[in-house]
Amino acid sequence: MGWLFAVALGLYRQSERVLLASLIPIAFGHAAAVFVTIVIVLTAGTFVDMSLLAVGCGLALIAWACWHLLYGHRHRLRIGMTTGMVGLGLWSFIMALLHGAGLMLLPALLPIEKAHAHSHTAVSSSLGTALAAGAIHTAAMLLATGSIAFIVYRWVGLSLLRRAWINFDMLWSAVLAIGGLLLIASAR
């Protein structure tokens, strides 16, 4: 959804430069949320069996998907179009943290964590690998967000979104549920 915010901000300020500049705090906020989630999960992994952690996080993602599907459309946006770049970064951090962006990486990270579990440098090597995965994930998110935002701003416009609205709550709920199922499946 960051692309939609970037497009709206660019259109509101009538500037392509504002649109492109808004991608920077969106990426930093997203990366910070992914980093916080990775550190919490890896720290918890030192105290809890990784299979149990995978099942717990998978169930949490599925529960979050159900809640988001039922009630996600009811939350109000607290940061408006007149926000600055710091507010946009804060919005991105909160949205990525609350919408499970870091947890979505766990199906890819847990097998790596299991492989490093018997090593003497398990935590540091797992953290390095996890941070690299988080950086790749953030770069991919930035590329996708920037591409969609630029295409919508330059050629499509928001008028198409008014006529052919995509239910992002439904789409995100499905992605969260699939991520949760992958986590549970990876626990075996």
Side-chain angles (χ1 to χ4, degrees):
M1 290 291 283
W3 65 269
L4 187 58
F5 206 102
V7 169
L9 190 61
L11 288 172
Y12 177 77
R13 303 265 173 94
Q14 297 178 353
S15 171
E16 198 172 283
R17 261 185 26 207
V18 170
L19 179 138
L20 294 174
S22 69
L23 296 174
I24 295 168
I26 289 172
F28 276 115
H30 188 85
V34 168
F35 174 76
V36 166
T37 304
I38 286 171
V39 169
I40 289 171
V41 168
L42 288 180
T43 303
T46 60
F47 302 109
V48 179
D49 179 39
M50 291 307 285
S51 297
L52 182 62
L53 186 64
V55 170
C57 289
L59 290 173
L61 274 176
I62 292 170
W64 182 248
C66 292
W67 183 91
H68 195 268
L69 187 60
L70 295 172
Y71 303 108
H73 62 282
R74 294 184 183 170
H75 63 276
R76 293 185 199 192
L77 186 62
R78 302 281 188 238
I79 296 175
M81 291 297 120
T82 58
T83 188
M85 295 300 170
V86 173
L88 187 56
L90 179 64
W91 170 84
S92 177
F93 173 76
I94 291 169
M95 289 299 108
L97 195 62
L98 294 179
H99 285 107
L103 290 178
M104 297 298 284
L105 289 176
L106 290 184
L109 295 178
L110 286 177
I112 296 168
E113 174 65 24
K114 287 178 185 176
H116 289 265
H118 301 293
S119 152
H120 293 298
T121 59
V123 174
S124 63
S125 61
S126 293
L127 182 61
T129 305
L131 292 178
I136 291 169
H137 170 78
T138 300
M141 183 278 310
L142 180 62
L143 181 65
T145 299
S147 299
I148 292 169
F150 190 75
I151 289 168
V152 169
Y153 179 84
R154 181 58 78 86
W155 293 292
V156 176
L158 289 179
S159 62
L160 175 70
L161 294 178
R162 287 188 191 110
R163 287 183 275 130
W165 182 250
I166 299 167
N167 188 344
F168 287 106
D169 286 331
M170 179 96 52
L171 181 65
W172 188 245
S173 296
V175 169
L176 286 170
I178 290 168
L181 291 172
L182 287 173
L183 269 172
I184 292 171
S186 73
R188 296 175 189 203

